[in-house]
Amino acid sequence: MSHRILLVDDEVDILEFVRYNLVREGYEVFTAQNGAEALKIAAECHPHLILLDMMMPVMDGAQTCRAIRENPELKDTMVVFLSALGEEEQQLAGFGVGADDYLTKPIKMKLLVSRVQAILKRIDAEEAPAKSSSPGITVDRERYMVIRDGEEISLPRKEFALLDLLYSSPGKLIPREEIYAKIWGTEVVVGDRTIDVHIRKLRQKIGDERIVTVKGVGYKYEP
């Protein structure tokens, strides 16, 4: 994926230098020399990231950032100030109008590229869809919830932990000994049938076909 970056600065030399280095990294780069021009270009190209100077003619960085945040079509665009104004008050002002980060000039190009890469990776992580081992089953670890075909299923703690263990390694056989160690540990004395009972309950709730028994060895989750 080629990320789109909009550079906004009234100093042409800086624009060209930064643009050259970001293009070398494989990014699609657009430039603008003031805030008004930046808003027009951003509306056309929908950049993933805008690197924005603070002091500019026509429309300064703070006004531009505020306008970006008020535009629904640019609500997911990351805005990072790249400014010679490095005082704490200026940085706070930048964050106050909605900036995601604030970098001060002069900055070494390797560091700038590194920061850009980190920011764009964050965007990719936020945009990535939640992965599911099976089209019909999703394990929501934050809420201790299982979603089957759009229906939420609440599981007791041990049943959820057991399903999560199997679900996290689809198709992999997990021996009974490993299940005992990871789910029960040494907290209780577990009988030989304890795992089987929990597996039976899980099958009743999520479907028989998903959890496969390998007799005498263990279990595995089949997507």
Side-chain angles (χ1 to χ4, degrees), residues 102-168:
Y102 196 110
L103 306 176
T104 55
K105 296 186 288 190
I107 183 171
K108 291 184 177 180
M109 188 50 57
K110 285 186 178 180
L111 177 58
L112 176 59
V113 170
S114 178
R115 293 293 290 272
V116 167
Q117 290 172 339
I119 290 166
L120 293 175
K121 283 181 182 178
R122 204 162 79 211
I123 294 173
D124 291 341
E126 291 172 355
E127 291 181 348
K131 294 182 180 179
S132 169
S133 294
S134 169
I137 293 287
T138 300
V139 174
D140 187 336
R141 295 181 179 90
E142 291 185 1
R143 295 192 299 156
Y144 253 70
M145 187 75 67
V146 174
I147 301 171
R148 182 190 64 186
D149 298 328
E151 178 186 357
E152 293 186 349
I153 303 172
S154 182
L155 298 177
R157 187 166 61 91
K158 292 299 185 186
E159 287 180 30
F160 182 87
L162 176 56
L163 175 61
D164 189 34
L165 175 64
L166 298 171
Y167 176 92
S168 62

Side-chain angles (χ1 to χ4, degrees), residues 39 42-43 46-47 50 67-69 71-78:
L39 291 175
H46 292 88
I50 298 177
I68 290 168
R69 291 297 175 234
N71 186 338
E73 294 185 357
L74 300 175
K75 63 183 179 64
D76 295 325
T77 301
M78 300 288 281

Side-chain angles (χ1 to χ4, degrees), residues 19 30 49 67 73 75 90 127 135 144 158 189 209 212 223:
R19 179 185 176 280
F30 302 84
L49 169 64
E73 294 185 357
K75 63 183 179 64
Q90 292 292 340
E127 291 181 348
Y144 253 70
K158 292 299 185 186
V189 177
E209 74 282 0
V212 178

